Amino acid sequence: MDGQLIAFTGIAAGLVAMPGADFTVVVRNALVSRRAGAVCGLGIAGGLLVHATLAVVGVAAVLVAVPALFRTLQLLGGAYVLYLGVRTLASLRRAAQGPGEPVAEAAHPLRQGFVTNVLNPKASLTFLSLLPQFVPAGSHALPRTLLLALIVFTLAFVWFQAVALLVDRLGRWLRRPRAARGLQAGTGVALTVLGAALLLEPLLA
């Protein structure tokens, strides 16, 4: 692996591991089961692959050229994350009405992971600005950028599988009624705040 690929892998790993809505959604699903968390992580990796591919073909540049489209995607993404947060808090309230009930089952974790990530236009812009920096002058851009996109997908897949595994390994403690309610409340609040912030950002811009 050449020096540029090593540098790109390090930067991409940092971006993938950065806490945010993706991480919170995976934890939320992994509380239900390792499989739900793993499937959600796969959806997030798929969303990142979409963003990287959009950057490769230049579609992400349209988001820069058409601010209204960018803001629309921001609003959609923020609304979806806010919906997940409110839904998580609502399920916590329902569980409180029946003591001892397990954490509410997550519906469609693959879709949750994918939609949460793919509706974040900033990811496309990040890849649009990042990928060209790691294409050597004189080389064929398409094969190189596709390789970079594959690296991002692999990093995201491995990272979120590890997160799901860790939550599952801690599951015996995390699924105790008090701990489960606390963590679920924390993820619900985090998703709600993140969603509200994503909604307010384009409105206040």
Side-chain angles (χ1 to χ4, degrees):
M1 182 180 290
D2 61 42
Q4 280 196 333
L5 283 182
I6 294 174
F8 175 81
T9 301
I11 294 172
L15 291 174
V16 166
M18 188 178 298
D22 292 347
F23 180 85
T24 307
V25 170
V26 170
V27 171
R28 174 184 183 274
N29 280 276
L31 278 174
V32 178
S33 69
R34 178 183 174 184
R35 180 181 181 277
V39 171
C40 182
L42 178 61
I44 290 171
L48 284 172
L49 184 60
V50 169
H51 287 301
T53 303
L54 289 175
V56 168
V57 299
V59 175
V62 176
L63 295 175
V64 179
V66 186
L69 177 58
F70 180 80
R71 287 194 294 271
T72 299
L73 287 177
Q74 278 187 300
L75 289 171
L76 288 174
Y80 186 73
V81 173
L82 180 61
Y83 160 76
L84 290 179
V86 172
R87 179 174 175 174
T88 300
L89 294 175
S91 67
L92 181 66
R93 182 178 180 182
R94 289 194 300 269
Q97 296 172 354
E101 292 182 8
V103 177
E105 181 179 357
H108 309 295
L110 180 67
R111 183 180 67 194
Q112 286 186 20
F114 182 79
V115 174
T116 297
N117 189 276
V118 85
L119 286 181
N120 178 11
K122 289 185 177 180
S124 283
L125 298 183
T126 298
F127 286 115
L128 183 64
S129 60
L130 183 63
L131 294 183
Q133 311 302 321
F134 296 91
V135 178
S139 66
H140 296 289
L142 183 58
R144 179 72 169 194
T145 49
L146 288 176
L147 173 60
L148 298 178
L150 181 60
I151 290 174
V152 171
F153 174 84
T154 302
L155 289 170
F157 178 80
V158 171
W159 167 246
F160 287 113
Q161 299 307 305
V163 171
L165 176 61
L166 177 61
V167 173
D168 183 68
R169 288 293 176 88
L170 296 174
R172 179 174 298 181
W173 179 79
L174 292 175
R175 292 188 182 97
R176 291 176 180 175
R178 182 175 296 180
R181 286 194 296 270
L183 188 55
Q184 190 174 359
T187 57
V189 170
L191 286 170
T192 302
V193 171
L194 285 168
L198 289 171
L199 280 173
L200 288 174
E201 183 176 349
L203 294 176
L204 297 177

